[in-house]
């Protein structure tokens, strides 16, 4: 395994920690700045929207420099954003720090996926992408609970200071271990944009939005679902999220391994299984043991889709994959925002805390349908265009 993948995983660990640790620290942050919990929730929303908007913008701005340099600049942006959050004197400054840090998120994972794929043989690409994303999954097992504990014990500012320090480690790793890969010859913005005319690229991104959106429809409301329906204490929710992180870790590695062998069958199994498990969660959420097992499966099946979907985009956007890869990372966050909103709608409509699971099942099922359509279009024979007759 190239050591450069370890450097990318360290960066992913820091980014994953800062993305999710905020959820466990909202009460402390809201209390210090004197804002309501819903207002503090803008720190989550602002970050997600920053990822969606910032990913393509940062990539376009970086088209003139090589990928290693861009990754280093992105880690510098990540460090600056978290330091700004750590010392923020007012809520508005804290929100600005979150947005600055989010601008690095999508571009780092998107460009990092391209770099990871280029470091290995073609038949190992999904596995290499999975290794990088392992940093994100481990963040949910280790970084987020530890960051939450530290923030609650000695102050949330310390947590963001530590996350900034992780960014420094990631930056040093990229500088030392990632090779100075040249920009592909002939790569330019027009060619990158042309990849979006490929219907297979668009379908893969739609699968990303719907498939991973299905996961977050349920996980966004896991706290009230587990305390009000399953009967867990509020303190147990942290450990249930760790269980979810373990599932993500296992699913990510499994998805990476099998996507290099049978990419589309891997998507069929993971998306179909996810739709079924999310539907069953409306029932298993009433039992502590079954709920815990289901959360593990949701994490595993949900993240098993990540390496194959990211590889699918890279394969179909061959020759100019960077922008498409980055936009697909934004698609994950778009799915998160969409599903969280839909889950809130059904809860507000009076259908109960388990209703978002039905939303998630419908989204995952729709993604499976798109996967089937994608494969059918790929098998469709291409009609050869006859050459015009030339008269002599």
């Amino acid at each position: 395994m190239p050591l450069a993948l370890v450097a990318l995983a360290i960066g992913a660990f820091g980014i994953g920690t800062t993305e999710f640790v905020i959820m466990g620290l909202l009460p402390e942050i809201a209390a210090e700045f004197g804002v309501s919990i819903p207002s503090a929730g803008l720190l989550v929303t602002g970050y997600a929207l920053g990822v969606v908007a910032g990913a393509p913008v940062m990539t376009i701005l970086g088209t003139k420099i090589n990928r290693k340099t861009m990754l280093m600049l992105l880690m510098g942006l990540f460090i600056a954003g978290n330091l700004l959050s750590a010392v923020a004197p007012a809520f508005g400054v804290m929100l600005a720090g979150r947005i600055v840090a989010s601008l690095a998120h999508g571009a780092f994972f998107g460009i990092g996926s391209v770099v990871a794929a280029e470091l290995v043989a073609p038949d190992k690409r999904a596995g290499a992408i999975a290794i990088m994303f392992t940093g994100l999954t481990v963040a949910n097992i280790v970084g987020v609970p530890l960051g939450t504990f530290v923030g609650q014990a000695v102050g949330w500012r310390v947590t963001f200071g530590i996350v900034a320090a992780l960014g420094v480690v990631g930056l040093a790793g990229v500088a030392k271990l990632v090779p100075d890969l040249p920009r592909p010859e002939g790569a330019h913005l027009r060619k990158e944009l042309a990849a979006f005319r490929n219907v297979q690229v668009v379908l893969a991104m739609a699968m990303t939005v719907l498939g991973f959106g299905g996961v977050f429809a349920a996980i966004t409301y896991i706290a009230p679902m587990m305390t009000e329906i399953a009967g867990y204490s509020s303190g147990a929710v942290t450990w249930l999220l760790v269980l979810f992180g373990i599932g993500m870790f296992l699913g990510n590695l499994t998805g990476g391994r099998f996507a290099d062998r049978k990419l589309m069958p891997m998507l069929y199994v993971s998306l179909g299984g996810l739709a079924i498990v999310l539907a069953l969660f409306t029932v298993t959420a009433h039992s502590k043991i079954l709920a815990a097992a289901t959360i593990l499966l949701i994490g595993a099946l949900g993240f098993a889709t990540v390496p194959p979907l990211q590889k699918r985009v890279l394969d179909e956007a061959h020759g100019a994959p960077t922008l498409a890869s980055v936009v697909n990372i934004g698609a994950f966050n778009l799915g998160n925002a969409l599903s969280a909103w839909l889950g809130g709608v059904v809860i507000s409509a009076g259908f109960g805390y388990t209703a978002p699971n039905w939303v998630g099942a419908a989204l995952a099922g729709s993604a499976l349908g798109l996967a089937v359509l994608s494969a059918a279009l790929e098998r469709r024979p291409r009609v050869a265009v006859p050459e015009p007759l030339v008269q002599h």
Side-chain angles (χ1 to χ4, degrees):
M1 178 182 69
L3 288 177
L5 295 178
V6 177
L8 294 174
I10 292 172
F13 178 84
I15 292 174
T17 299
T18 204
E19 179 182 16
F20 293 108
V21 76
I22 191 74
M23 299 174 187
L25 299 175
L26 282 184
E28 288 77 14
I29 294 172
E32 178 161 340
F33 289 125
V35 299
S36 66
I37 292 292
S39 295
L42 290 173
L43 298 173
V44 178
T45 305
Y47 187 95
L49 294 178
V51 174
V52 175
V57 171
M58 296 305 298
T59 304
I60 290 171
L61 292 176
T63 53
K64 301 299 182 182
I65 60 179
N66 67 45
R67 290 163 181 162
K68 175 178 179 175
T69 302
M70 190 60 190
L71 287 173
M72 292 172 64
L73 291 173
L74 290 169
M75 288 310 300
L77 199 62
F78 171 80
I79 294 165
N82 281 284
L83 284 176
L84 184 59
S85 295
V87 301
F91 181 76
V93 179
M94 173 74 175
L95 180 58
R98 292 287 292 168
I99 293 174
V100 169
S102 74
L103 295 177
H105 182 124
F108 183 88
F109 279 109
I111 295 172
S113 294
V114 177
V115 171
E118 290 183 354
L119 291 172
V120 298
D123 62 342
K124 302 289 185 181
R125 285 182 172 180
I129 294 170
I131 290 173
M132 184 191 71
F133 275 96
T134 296
L136 177 62
T137 60
V138 172
N140 283 273
I141 301 171
V142 179
V144 172
L146 280 180
T148 302
F149 174 78
V150 170
Q152 292 173 345
V154 297
W156 58 267
R157 295 181 186 275
V158 177
T159 295
F160 284 97
I162 293 173
V163 171
L166 286 172
V168 173
V169 176
L171 174 58
V174 171
K176 180 69 174 177
L177 300 175
V178 173
D180 196 11
L181 298 172
R183 293 175 64 246
E185 290 189 17
H188 49 73
L189 182 57
R190 183 178 297 176
K191 191 173 182 180
E192 293 280 353
L193 290 172
F196 294 91
R197 294 202 298 264
N198 185 336
V199 68
Q200 293 291 1
V201 171
V202 175
L203 284 173
M205 291 180 179
M207 283 185 266
T208 297
V209 172
L210 296 174
F212 213 69
V215 174
F216 269 76
I219 295 303
T220 299
Y221 301 97
I222 198 69
M225 196 188 310
M226 292 298 95
T227 55
E228 299 295 329
I229 306 298
Y232 279 105
S233 66
S234 57
V237 173
T238 298
W239 300 110
L240 289 171
L241 289 175
V242 170
L243 195 62
F244 173 70
I246 293 172
M248 291 171 64
F249 175 80
L250 297 174
N252 176 58
L253 293 181
T254 303
R257 179 181 179 183
F258 286 97
D260 278 323
R261 302 177 183 178
K262 299 287 185 179
L263 192 149
M264 292 308 294
M266 184 67 219
L267 281 178
Y268 297 152
V269 171
S270 55
L271 290 172
L274 181 61
I276 293 171
V277 169
L278 284 168
L280 289 175
F281 200 21
T282 58
V283 177
T284 60
H286 294 270
S287 163
K288 287 184 177 181
I289 295 176
L290 292 178
T294 306
I295 290 170
L296 178 70
L297 286 174
I298 291 173
L301 291 167
F303 233 79
T305 67
V306 175
L309 283 173
Q310 196 68 5
K311 183 176 184 291
R312 180 77 171 172
V313 169
L314 291 177
D315 288 347
E316 296 297 337
H318 54 83
T322 305
L323 185 59
S325 175
V326 169
V327 171
N328 197 49
I329 298 297
F332 284 105
N333 285 269
L334 180 60
N336 298 351
L338 173 65
S339 61
W341 173 72
L342 289 174
V345 167
V346 295
I347 291 175
S348 299
F351 291 102
Y353 285 124
T354 60
N357 299 329
W358 286 117
V359 173
L363 291 173
S366 299
L368 175 60
L370 290 181
V372 174
L373 173 62
S374 176
L377 291 176
E378 197 169 45
R379 290 193 299 267
R380 188 176 59 182
R382 296 181 180 181
V383 179
V385 179
E387 296 183 5
L389 295 175
V390 179
Q391 294 184 353
H392 299 282

